[in-house]
Structures are given as C-alpha cells and as structure tokens.
C-alpha cells in the first residue's frame, strides 16, 4: 500500500508543500509496520476512523450541545454528535453519554468538577500500585486541588486490597470512590465498590480507560450498571480516535454535561466526535466482539509464556488486555528492558510494579499489552513466539540495534510482522 493509497488522494499535495511532515507520516507508518507494538494503551484505528478524523468537520466551532449551540451552521455536526451519543449509549447500555471530552484526563476533570470542591476527599488507587496520574497524584491537578487518599494491593496476591479500601473509606469518608487505573491486570469487583459507596454516601466513579474496549466487546463484565459515572478513552482496546468520553446515570447527566462544557472545555472537536461515532458502530459488530475476546486470550497466553521464561507476571497472570511483569528475577531493570526491546523492534514500556524498590523512571517491571498485535490478526501461537523474542531481547540483548542478539530478535520480529502486517500494504 503506497502512502497515497493509505493517506488519501491529497497526500501528494501535502508531500509537495511540506515534505518534512509528509516524511514523518510515511516514516511513522513504516515504524508501525516494522515492529511489534505492545504498548497496552495503544491500538490501530481503522482507515474509516482515520478518514473521519481528517475531515472538514475539523473546521467547525460547535460550543454547546446538539440543538443548543452558541454558533450557527451546526446542523451537520449536530447529526454527527447525536449519532455518537446514541451509539455510545447503546453500546454500553447507559442512561446518558457525553462524547465531547478531548481525552481521558479531560473526562476525569469533568467528574471532579461535577461532584467535588477543592479540598474534598477522593479515595483512589495509588499510582505506584497501578493507578493513574489523574487519580490524586501530587504532580497532577487532582492531587494539588483535592485531598487524595490512596489504597494499594495485597502483598501476597498483588491484586487490589479490598480490606484496605473498606477501612480507608470508612475512616476518611471520601466524597468520591474511584476504581480503575493504568496497570491493573485483574478484573475489578464493581459490586463491592458500589455497596461500599452506598454505605458511606459517596459517588462511585470507574475510570475504565484501559479496559472499556473489553466491555464493549462483551469480553469482561461492565462497570456501567454499578457506577454513577464511567470515564474512558476511545483509543486503547476500543480502537477509536485518540480522545475520551463518559457515560453516567440519568440523575447525574445535567451536572456532568455542565462540567464538560462550559466548566472544563470550550469548543468540541467535531471531526474527532464523528470518528468516535464510526468507532462505536464498529464496536457493535460481532467481529469486534470476537476481537475483544481474542485480545484477552492472547494476553493470558503471553503473560504465561513470559512467566515460563522467568519474567514473572504480577498477580500470577491477567484477566484483561495487559500484564505487568517483574524483572527482578532476571536481574534487569524496566528501563534496560524497554531499551533492549526497542533496539530489537519490540515496543513496550517500563513500569513500576507493586512495592517497587526502583525509582519510577527506572522501574523493576515492564507492561505488555495485546490490542495491536491482535488487531493485526496474531493469535496464541504468535504470543508464544513473541514471548521468546521478548525474553531473548531482555535477558541477552543490548540497547544497541547492531548488537548480535538485537539483530537476531529483530529478524524474528520482521518475520512476524511480514506474516501479520499492520495496515496491509495490499
């Protein structure tokens, strides 16, 4: 597939006017095609989603909501947003949806704006244990403006310490209880959190950014029936544009809509909202449901296979699309593992593990995810091959791409991505 074919008929004009940026588009496509993409928070949007993103809807200012805009000329973008809202509500069986947040962090900001005042208390998972920056970390607005109390994981199971959650909730009486994070391999007990929130009179919020695509594909249980509000990104397993959204119970709809606009954002990105509409339609298909189930199956096999190579999966494995691995047993840091893998054409990320003795920028672990490679059509046999390649790169390789092991592993990577190409060349 040529750059013209992939990027559309206007690519030649861009290449002529701005060859530097055109070159970046081509080289990024080559980078995606040339390596194994194992970042758990990434995926490969369809050409249909990308087409909506690159449309004339990008030109339109549309502050407000469908039928209630502050600008004229919104008749067509109103159609796009209404479709996105209706499809989102149907996909997640939700009372209400807001598709305007620019990102997961923007959606999270809206929850704080709707339900909390500066100084109020939130109970959330600690970042080093698998949480997220916007869950009350001191360097984030959430930690600067709100009183964050954090729970962690049990030292034995490495899964959420539910006893600690209950103890802290009853002790601190938070305004909001938050479940979810960026490195949680296991399913979350949403019923437990709902019951606890009701007991202390708190709002129950789920940040489902990482796993919402598995919910859409009916591969794991949904938090929507249990939570007051669920925020998420649309670009991870969901495989849509890089953006965010939220769904909530009807009683909270007006408050959350006002928190998105005008409290936290101005004009929505209508081209991105149209791309979300396309994505939600894709996610409602049987093909996507099959995809979501294969993502989970692949992640489980990959986690187990890495464990057999001495790269231990925390919690003993995974129920989702990602696994977190402890490298201490092989004597390699997360930073070194990331660099060695990158040199061999494997893209993954260093990650703190529970009770990590290393600093976050070094880390003792890596996080691996299967959304991208599953999108490319790889299955469980390929996951075992990938585990072999990762183990060799991490334990025997080097950050130098010209190192003998780096070259050997890259040859294996090239074989895999040739058999299962990203954005097929046709």
């Amino acid at each position: 597939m040529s750059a013209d074919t992939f990027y559309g008929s206007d690519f030649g004009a861009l290449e002529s006017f701005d060859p530097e940026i055109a070159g970046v588009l081509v080289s990024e496509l080559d980078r995606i095609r040339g390596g194994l993409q194992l970042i758990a928070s990434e995926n490969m949007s369809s050409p249909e989603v990308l087409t909506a993103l690159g449309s004339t809807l990008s030109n339109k200012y549309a502050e407000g909501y469908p039928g209630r805009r502050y600008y004229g000329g919104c008749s067509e973008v109103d159609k796009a947003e209404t479709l996105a809202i209706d499809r989102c509500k149907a996909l997640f069986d939700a009372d209400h949806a807001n598709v305007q947040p620019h990102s997961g962090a923007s959606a999270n900001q809206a929850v704080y704006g709707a339900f909390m005042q500066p100084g109020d208390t939130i109970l959330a998972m600690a970042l080093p244990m698998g949480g997220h920056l916007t869950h009350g970390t001191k360097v984030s607005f959430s930690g600067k403006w709100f009183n964050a109390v954090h729970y962690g994981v049990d030292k034995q199971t490495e899964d959420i310490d539910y006893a600690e959650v209950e103890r802290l909730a009853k002790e601190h009486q938070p305004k909001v209880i938050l479940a979810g994070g960026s490195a949680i391999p296991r399913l979350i007990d949403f019923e437990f959190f709902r019951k606890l929130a009701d007991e202390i009179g708190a709002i129950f919020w789920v940040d489902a950014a990482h796993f919402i695509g598995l919910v859409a594909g009916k591969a794991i249980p949904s938090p929507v029936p249990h939570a007051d509000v669920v925020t998420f990104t649309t670009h991870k397993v969901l495989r849509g544009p890089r953006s965010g959204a939220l769904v909530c119970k009807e009683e909270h709809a007006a408050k959350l809509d006002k928190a998105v606009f005008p409290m936290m954002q101005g004009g929505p990105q209508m081209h991105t909202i149209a791309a979300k509409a396309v994505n939600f339609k894709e996610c409602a298909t049987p093909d996507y449901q099959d995809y979501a189930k294969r993502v989970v199956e692949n992640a489980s096999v990959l986690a187990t296979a890495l464990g057999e190579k001495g790269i231990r999966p925390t919690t003993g494995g995974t129920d989702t699309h990602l696994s977190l691995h402890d490298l201490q047993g092989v004597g390699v840091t997360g930073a070194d593992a990331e660099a060695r893998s990158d040199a061999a054409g494997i893209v993954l990320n260093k990650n703190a593990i529970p009770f990590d003795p290393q600093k976050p920028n070094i880390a003792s672990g890596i996080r691996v995810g299967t959304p991208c490679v599953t999108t490319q059509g790889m299955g469980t046999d390929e996951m075992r091959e990938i585990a072999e390649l990762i183990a060799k790169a991490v334990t025997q390789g080097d950050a130098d791409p010209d190192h003998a092991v780096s070259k050997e592993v890259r040859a294996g990577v090239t074989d895999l991505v040739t058999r299962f190409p990203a954005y097929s060349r046709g």
Side-chain angles (χ1 to χ4, degrees):
M1 180 186 291
S2 69
D4 279 348
T5 303
F6 183 80
Y7 285 115
S9 59
D10 290 334
F11 181 78
L14 173 64
E15 190 173 33
S16 176
F17 175 73
D18 193 338
E20 291 90 351
I21 287 296
V24 171
L25 298 187
V26 172
S27 59
E28 172 61 5
L29 184 57
D30 289 342
R31 184 196 67 79
I32 293 170
R33 288 170 170 166
L36 289 172
Q37 313 304 322
L38 297 173
I39 301 291
S41 52
E42 294 180 356
N43 212 331
M44 299 173 185
S45 298
S46 70
E48 290 77 14
V49 165
L50 297 178
T51 296
L53 275 174
S55 69
T56 56
L57 297 186
S58 177
N59 299 330
K60 190 72 193 86
Y61 244 118
E63 286 184 346
Y65 291 99
R68 297 177 286 127
R69 304 290 190 183
Y70 289 82
Y71 287 84
C74 291
S75 59
E76 299 310 308
V77 295
D78 276 4
K79 294 175 186 176
E81 185 165 351
T82 300
L83 282 169
I85 291 168
D86 290 345
R87 290 172 182 177
C88 186
K89 287 166 58 179
L91 185 63
F92 297 112
D93 194 21
D95 293 345
H96 180 75
N98 189 305
V99 297
Q100 289 195 8
H102 299 329
S103 65
S106 296
N108 291 355
Q109 277 187 313
V111 177
Y112 286 102
F115 298 114
M116 300 180 72
Q117 294 293 324
D120 283 348
T121 298
I122 183 168
L123 177 62
M125 195 168 195
L127 179 63
M129 300 294 176
H132 188 262
L133 281 169
T134 57
H135 298 176
T137 306
K138 288 299 182 185
V139 297
S140 164
F141 77 93
S142 57
K144 292 181 183 294
W145 297 345
F146 304 98
N147 176 41
V149 176
H150 288 119
Y151 58 87
V153 302
D154 180 87
K155 284 190 175 181
Q156 298 301 314
T157 66
E158 298 176 305
D159 197 6
I160 295 170
D161 188 337
Y162 289 95
E164 183 185 35
V165 176
E166 184 172 11
R167 177 180 62 80
L168 291 172
K170 291 180 177 178
E171 177 184 349
H172 295 277
Q173 297 290 305
K175 196 83 165 283
V176 173
I177 298 177
L178 170 56
S182 59
I184 304 174
R186 295 300 185 178
L187 297 180
I188 298 171
D189 187 346
F190 302 123
E191 291 185 14
F192 165 86
F193 279 99
R194 175 75 270 167
K195 182 179 178 182
L196 181 61
D198 287 342
E199 187 175 343
I200 68 167
I203 291 291
F204 174 35
W205 164 23
V206 175
D207 183 344
H210 257 276
F211 58 82
I212 194 67
L214 302 177
V215 174
K218 304 185 188 311
I220 65 171
S222 173
V224 175
H226 308 287
D228 291 291
V229 57
V230 178
T231 56
F232 55 93
T233 55
T234 52
H235 54 269
K236 298 184 175 77
V237 183
L238 207 58
R239 207 161 59 183
R242 182 162 294 277
S243 194
L246 64 83
V247 295
C248 67
K249 296 187 181 302
E250 186 60 41
E251 64 193 272
H252 304 307
K255 186 177 290 189
L256 281 159
D257 280 354
K258 289 177 181 177
V260 173
F261 173 84
M263 185 177 187
M264 296 297 178
Q265 292 185 176
Q269 298 178 350
M270 300 313 301
H271 56 303
T272 307
I273 288 173
K276 292 177 201 181
V278 175
N279 174 232
F280 296 146
K281 184 172 183 177
E282 291 174 341
C283 291
T285 64
D287 282 349
Y288 182 83
Q289 291 183 17
D290 176 65
Y291 163 76
K293 292 175 176 63
R294 288 188 290 109
V295 167
V296 174
E297 184 180 18
N298 281 346
S300 179
V301 170
L302 180 56
T304 298
L306 283 169
E308 290 169 354
K309 301 295 179 183
I311 302 176
R312 183 185 73 85
T314 65
T315 76
T318 180
D319 301 317
T320 63
H321 63 298
L322 67 83
S323 55
L324 187 62
H325 291 264
D326 180 359
L327 297 166
Q328 293 176 99
V330 293
V332 179
T333 69
D336 284 340
E338 180 182 304
R340 293 175 184 183
S341 297
D342 190 64
I346 301 170
V347 183
L348 47 77
N349 66 277
K350 60 181 176 294
N351 210 100
I353 59 172
F355 312 104
D356 200 325
Q358 296 282 0
K359 295 178 180 179
N361 63 340
I362 300 297
S364 296
I366 53 173
R367 186 184 67 166
V368 296
T370 54
C372 286
V373 290
T374 306
T375 291
Q376 290 173 247
M378 298 186 201
T380 54
D381 288 344
E382 288 72 41
M383 296 308 107
R384 296 184 184 94
E385 287 184 54
I386 290 172
E388 292 271 0
L389 295 170
I390 292 173
K392 182 167 284 190
V394 167
T395 62
Q396 302 174 39
D398 190 87
D400 180 3
D402 291 326
H403 187 273
V405 173
S406 299
K407 288 182 175 181
E408 181 184 349
V409 173
R410 185 173 282 277
V413 169
T414 299
D415 176 65
L416 269 174
V417 299
T418 299
R419 286 186 282 135
F420 298 92
Y423 295 117
S424 176
R425 292 174 173 82

